[in-house]
Amino acid sequence: MRFSLDQLQVFVAVVQAGSFSAAARRLGRTQSTVSAAIANLEADLGVELFDRSTRIPGLTAAGQKLQLEAEAVLERCLALQGHADSLAGETEPHLTLAIEVPYSTVMPVLCEFEQAFPHVDLIVRHPHSGDVAGMLQRGEVELGIAFSQPEYPRELEFQQMGKLVMVHVTHPGHPLAQRDGVSFADLHAHRRLAFSAHASKLPSSEYLRATRLWQAESYMALVEMVRAGLGWATLPRQLVQRELAAGELVELQLAAYPFTDWLVGVDLLWQRRHGRGQAQRWLRERLMRNKVFELDSQGRATTL
């Protein structure tokens, strides 16, 4: 076999990312390295995979057919490695977890983990860029907990843990805070403060576009910006409950949805190639059973 698994992974990454440059960023490589890997794969296979006559190369007819074969090969390799990992299980000295959602949703599980594995060091990372899936792909973390995205890379698996309420908030002195019902047009007329990774990815976020947009890579930065009266933002309600109760922030009531909360799913993510350690398997299985929920405005649990 002249070609390598690495070349197949690069090929599939380019197809999924939509361009050589996007695949390079996803894989943490240079664009020239990605281009060279594709060129070598084409030479080894004896066919052109991409039509380079356009600004953004697209798959050739042969490339479309071989994409399916490449994905099937990688699927089998992941399954083989996962089986091998499960047979070689042992307790690892440390475990890294990326958490994007309010920490209170998973703290009970972490307390149980401390009791079950007192000698395993846990490293909790906050993905400031919001790219939990990317952190998993790059091997920076073993598990990730994040707000649901429309799609994930093929090498990742996920399970929804539940749903949380997102609220639109602003400073009590902001013009929007003086309205009983806020329309989308009202929102569009004022500066939006957005979590950069989710500015346009969360479900229904297309309704929240604004002509003026400031972005931040931290939810805590957004909270401070809203408290300073710089605009309005959409935040997890659990994150700002204290500020709402103290009157430091005001929840905006959307006229289009007067009796409906905006619910967003929370997903647990991990590599298809399961980790070897017992601690990681234990934590993943326990988190899969952990239901993330809160009570909506009608007093109903967001997750059954």
Side-chain angles (χ1 to χ4, degrees):
M1 183 176 67
R2 293 171 293 178
F3 58 87
S4 67
L5 289 176
D6 181 71
Q7 290 173 328
L8 295 183
Q9 289 176 321
V10 172
F11 172 42
V12 172
V14 170
V15 175
Q16 292 177 344
S19 69
F20 284 29
S21 59
R25 290 192 296 272
R26 175 180 290 184
L27 296 171
R29 306 185 187 184
T30 64
Q31 185 171 341
S32 60
T33 302
V34 170
S35 298
I38 296 299
N40 291 334
L41 179 60
E42 289 177 322
D44 291 339
L45 295 174
V47 296
E48 287 191 355
L49 301 171
F50 292 93
D51 179 3
R52 295 172 175 79
S53 62
T54 57
R55 186 174 65 87
I56 300 179
L59 283 174
T60 62
Q64 292 176 359
K65 292 182 179 296
L66 292 178
Q67 173 199 352
L68 300 177
E69 297 280 0
E71 290 176 344
V73 170
L74 293 177
E75 287 276 4
R76 292 303 304 154
C77 289
L78 289 170
L80 173 63
Q81 186 62 64
H83 192 185
D85 289 345
S86 67
L87 296 174
E90 58 184 33
T91 302
E92 60 271 52
H94 56 78
L95 187 61
T96 305
L97 176 65
I99 303 178
E100 180 183 85
V101 303
Y103 296 110
S104 58
T105 58
V106 296
M107 203 54 63
V109 176
L110 297 188
C111 290
E112 293 179 20
F113 179 82
E114 189 274 334
Q115 294 294 317
F117 297 92
H119 301 296
V120 175
D121 293 334
L122 187 66
I123 304 168
V124 177
R125 294 188 56 186
H126 180 81
H128 292 292
S129 65
D131 188 17
V132 174
M135 296 174 73
L136 280 161
Q137 284 185 293
R138 294 188 294 271
E140 298 173 8
V141 299
E142 284 79 39
L143 297 171
I145 302 172
F147 286 112
S148 302
Q149 297 296 314
E151 59 182 359
Y152 295 112
R154 178 177 291 272
E155 60 265 36
L156 300 185
E157 296 220 31
F158 74 96
Q159 175 174 306
Q160 187 172 105
M161 299 171 62
K163 295 180 180 180
L164 293 177
V165 176
M166 302 291 283
V167 292
H168 313 294
V169 296
T170 192
H171 185 273
H174 192 278
L176 289 174
Q178 316 310 316
R179 296 179 175 272
D180 293 330
V182 177
S183 67
F184 291 131
D186 293 331
L187 292 179
H188 301 166
H190 295 273
R191 180 182 295 112
R192 179 189 176 199
L193 308 172
F195 187 41
S196 56
H198 295 162
S200 59
K201 290 185 178 180
L202 290 180
S204 301
S205 58
E206 65 271 16
Y207 299 113
L208 305 179
R209 62 187 183 280
T211 56
R212 292 178 291 168
L213 173 66
W214 286 14
Q215 300 185 53
E217 294 184 344
S218 162
Y219 273 124
M220 299 313 298
L222 287 179
V223 172
E224 293 304 316
M225 292 161 71
V226 176
R227 291 176 65 179
L230 295 174
W232 63 271
T234 303
L235 299 169
R237 187 172 64 180
Q238 288 197 5
L239 187 66
V240 292
Q241 282 181 328
R242 293 180 183 176
E243 288 80 0
L244 290 171
E248 298 173 359
L249 298 180
V250 174
E251 181 179 350
L252 301 176
Q253 302 299 325
L254 295 190
Y257 303 103
F259 307 110
T260 304
D261 290 292
W262 185 18
L263 303 182
V264 176
V266 174
D267 290 343
L268 172 66
L269 309 173
W270 66 92
Q271 290 250 17
R272 286 183 184 272
R273 173 183 173 176
H274 296 329
R276 295 175 179 271
Q278 294 178 354
Q280 181 186 151
R281 292 201 306 274
W282 184 97
L283 185 57
R284 183 178 66 243
E285 292 169 2
R286 181 63 187 85
L287 286 169
M288 288 170 66
R289 299 196 306 270
N290 181 56
K291 293 299 182 182
V292 173
F293 73 96
E294 59 181 302
L295 299 181
D296 63 16
S297 58
Q298 306 299 314
R300 299 168 300 197
T302 57
T303 305
L304 300 178

